[in-house]
Amino acid sequence: MAERGVVPYEHAMDLAMIGTGYVGLVAAACFADSGNEVICVDVDQQKIADLKLGKLPIYEPGLEDLVARNTRAGRLSFTTSVEAAVQASEVIFFAVGTPQDDDGGADLAHIISEARTFGKEMNGPKIIVNKSTVPVGTAVLVEREIRALTSHPVEVISNPEFLKEGAAIEDFLRPDRVVVGVASESAGRVMTELYSPFMRTNNRMLVMDVPSAEMTKYAGNAMLAARISLMNEISQLCDHYGADVDQVRRGVGSDARIGSSFLFPGIGYGGSCLAKDVQALIHMGHTKQVDMGLSEAVEQVNHRQKRVLAEKVVEHFGEDLGKHVFAVWGLAFKPRTDDTREAPALSLVQELVRRGAGVRAFDPVANESFKARFGEHPRVTYCENNYQALEGADGLIVCTEWNDFRRPNFQRMKTLLKSPTIFDGRNIFSREEMSKLEMTYFSIGRPPIRSR
Ligand code: NAD
């Protein structure tokens, strides 16, 4: 690896975090908590104004305390000025969103425009770190943009993020691995030093070349998406052959070569990453004329799976749902987050209202975020708790497996529901219990229970 004059630091570093969403805010707070000074930048003025007042724009367990503590200590600050942040920092992280453009590829407009600002504001040697998920080749592109505007030494490296919303702080502080793609040994040393507080028990730094690091993020998400889609496809077969996908899952997951994580069937993956990243991977393949049949199938299965629960509702209640009202528990794409991007509940609620049904929706933290994404609808009512959602409903539909939903008061539920019918998109209830309670119960890949 070539040395390019970027000196390793043996002290707390001055960092900038461009983009203060789920990834940027968590990473900034965790880096600040280990002694670094971190300036957070966002284009969203309201977000920065709120953060300055200690108000978090997102829900992530533990984040509010971490941000408050480090802001009080003067290690975490917030601004809308990229210029000031770049000038004050040695290492600058990109954690801006990378949405899809029209043809499925990642839209790099934000990143390229920021790169030009960096180029103009460079006042010394800097390392620019891509933490956003970006197509292979982006670091080279960004470095070219910056170098065209400055003579100061700069290296653009890749440090894809693997945190999971809902457990983001734990993932960041105790990562399975930290992947860093660099072109020089000195940049590798800087990143190793920066992450060393999180590696005390075991060094899990994987320093590699830049394209491999960029590819690792997409390959990881495609692998996870593939496991989910394969289990979802198998759950559909189970539905038709009378098998119980939960038992199949245990049987399959106990094979040490396969392992038990990410084998839960459900109503399709959502969130800001899996769908977008699989599509970006497909797009990367097409750009180079590589057949991406498997990744395409993973996406198709996911689209189909998002319709499964509505199909079960229609099978039971009929095509026209105009006279029916449904309680929907869980609007976030998964538990412990308020993130509703690509949430399966969006397609489900859309289909219910398209068929004329009323919806009484509840999520422990995502009501507002869902309303903002789905929009106001005269037949969708947002409820204050899960029992209120059941009042007068013809059935309950579970979309997110929040712990709060796992042990409800079933007798109370039966008195609130017009008919004791549950469509469980996450298999959170036991079939035996549903049968004892004389519920009519539909789940994913498990035989239904029909009460008398
Ligand atoms: P997000 O949408 O929550 O946050 C992005 C932030 O960037 C927003 O606050 C937005 O206002 C800001 N922003 C956009 N353009 C900007 C600009 N030019 N300058 C400054 N700020 C700007 O996104 P996120 O979920 O934090 O994801 C960020 C990146 O990390 C994406 O590439 C994503 O794929 C990746 N990622 C996300 C997760 C996750 O679980 N959310 C996990 C791993 C990786």
Side-chain angles (χ1 to χ4, degrees), residues 18-24 41-44 47 58 82 95-98 110 113-114 131-134 161-165 217 272-273 276-277 339 341:
I18 316 291
T20 54
Y22 289 87
V23 166
V41 184
D42 208 286
V43 277
D44 185 333
K47 211 175 245 191
I58 53 167
V82 183
V96 302
T98 41
H110 294 321
S113 103
E114 291 299 346
K131 197 167 248 321
S132 298
T133 304
V134 287
E161 183 50 59
F162 298 98
L163 61 76
K164 300 181 289 297
E165 286 172 27
K217 176 65 192 175
S272 66
C273 293
K276 158 178 88 64
D277 293 350
D339 195 345
R341 289 177 282 190

